[in-house]
């Protein structure tokens, strides 16, 4: 049996779900290789030596990479851009559209993603590790506030009536942002963000998003 072209090192997390959504959107065949980050498989020396120096997921292998040689890529934003270039889809048609797609992709990669990740850590993970409420309070407030500021940015932007982050066309910017809007980190009161909520429903209704989010690894809880 022939192997699918793409292999995705994956755990059920927002950065990995960006890639399953993108692969589903493009209709590309892929196989999942689970890397259980809850037990530290990303730190396995064999994974670091043979797959990625970055000891994180997602990692995508294109078995038919440029010049026919396999290509192994980490960083979800770089993977999205690679797949967009390969397919000629989802990264804008004109220079203007491409610039705006990149702008919002970078906004997610440098802002919403890391800030939400830190908020998740201080609000969800660190309390379970036994840190005192007092020692966590500053970090919780700092990252919750920053995430809320980023939601206000999105609300102002989408409030102008555009359907998607970079304009009228769905793009990798939407794919990068959508999986990060998780309950643990989004503002508790979403009433100031009606356009963000509407965008979230619009994107979530796509078959590719439903399929990409439905990818499960056996051990994940
Ligand atoms: N900027 C990277 C972040 C990758 C990342 O932090 N991945 C998380 C899962 S979403 C991970 O592998 N965590 C394991 C760890 O923290 O050791 C990307 O967008 O791909």
């Amino acid at each position: 049996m022939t192997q699918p072209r793409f292999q995705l090192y994956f755990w059920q997390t927002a950065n990995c779900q960006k890639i399953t959504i993108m692969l589903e959107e493009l209709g590309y065949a892929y196989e999942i290789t689970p890397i259980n980050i809850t037990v530290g498989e990303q730190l396995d020396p064999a994974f670091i030596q043979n797959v990625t120096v970055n000891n994180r997921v997602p990692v995508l292998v294109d078995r038919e990479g440029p010049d026919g040689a396999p290509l192994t890529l980490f960083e979800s934003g770089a993977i999205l851009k690679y797949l967009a270039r390969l397919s000629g889809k989802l990264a804008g048609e004109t220079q203007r559209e491409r610039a705006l797609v990149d702008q919002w992709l970078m906004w997610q990669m440098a802002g919403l993603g890391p800030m939400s990740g830190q908020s998740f850590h201080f609000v969800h993970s660190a309390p379970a590790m036994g840190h005192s409420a007092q020692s966590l309070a500053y970090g919780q407030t700092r990252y919750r506030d920053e995430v809320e500021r980023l939601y206000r940015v999105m609300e102002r932007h989408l409030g102008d009536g555009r359907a998607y982050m970079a304009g009228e066309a769905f793009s990798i910017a939407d794919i990068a942002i959508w999986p990060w809007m998780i309950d643990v980190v989004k503002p508790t009161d979403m009433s100031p963000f009606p356009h963000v909520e509407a965008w979230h429903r619009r994107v979530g209704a796509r078959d590719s998003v439903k399929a990409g989010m439905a990818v499960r690894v056996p051990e994940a809880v």
Side-chain angles (χ1 to χ4, degrees):
M1 204 171 74
T2 55
Q3 289 177 310
R5 175 168 175 176
F6 295 99
Q7 178 186 16
L8 180 62
Y9 290 87
F10 174 95
W11 195 247
Q12 217 162 277
T13 66
N15 285 320
C16 294
Q17 286 160 339
K18 295 174 188 174
I19 312 306
T20 51
I21 292 172
M22 181 68 171
L23 290 163
E24 293 289 341
E25 185 75 30
L26 297 174
Y28 286 169
Y30 62 99
E31 69 173 322
I32 292 290
T33 303
I35 295 294
N36 186 345
I37 64 170
T38 68
V39 297
E41 285 182 2
Q42 75 280 20
L43 304 173
D44 181 341
F47 179 63
I48 296 172
Q49 181 160 3
N50 301 328
V51 182
T52 174
V53 291
N54 195 40
N55 60 273
R56 293 280 188 279
V57 285
V59 178
L60 184 76
V61 180
D62 179 359
R63 294 181 165 123
E64 299 162 31
D67 310 322
L71 173 71
T72 303
L73 266 185
F74 61 84
E75 281 300 329
S76 58
I79 298 170
L80 289 177
K81 282 190 63 92
Y82 176 69
L83 292 171
R85 276 197 301 274
L86 201 65
S87 61
K89 292 180 182 161
L90 297 167
E93 300 287 321
T94 64
Q95 286 288 13
R96 176 177 298 273
E97 286 170 0
R98 283 196 287 273
L100 293 173
V101 168
D102 279 354
Q103 171 186 269
W104 287 108
L105 179 65
M106 298 304 152
W107 180 84
Q108 192 287 322
M109 291 298 298
L112 186 74
M115 295 305 121
S116 300
Q118 292 300 327
S119 186
F120 185 88
H121 175 80
F122 280 99
V123 172
H124 179 79
S125 312
M129 294 169 178
H131 295 283
S132 70
Q134 196 188 10
S135 72
L136 295 176
Y138 176 78
Q140 288 174 344
T141 305
R142 176 178 168 83
Y143 292 110
R144 264 195 184 132
D145 286 356
E146 178 57 7
V147 168
E148 198 156 326
R149 183 191 75 79
L150 292 164
Y151 273 68
R152 286 199 296 275
V153 171
M154 255 186 102
E155 180 63 25
R156 281 198 292 274
H157 179 62
L158 292 167
D160 279 0
R162 52 180 68 75
Y164 298 106
M165 290 307 290
E168 287 315 303
F170 178 71
S171 77
I172 52 174
D174 301 287
I175 293 177
I177 295 168
W178 198 90
W180 270 103
M181 303 223 141
I182 47 180
D183 286 343
V184 182
V185 287
K186 69 184 194 191
T188 2
D189 178 12
M190 283 297 288
S191 63
F193 309 105
H195 295 93
V196 175
E197 295 263 63
W199 168 88
H200 193 257
R201 282 193 297 275
R202 189 176 311 125
V203 173
R206 295 178 82 87
D207 288 344
S208 63
V209 176
K210 289 183 194 158
M213 294 300 292
V215 173
R216 293 281 182 274
V217 280
E219 303 89 336
V221 285

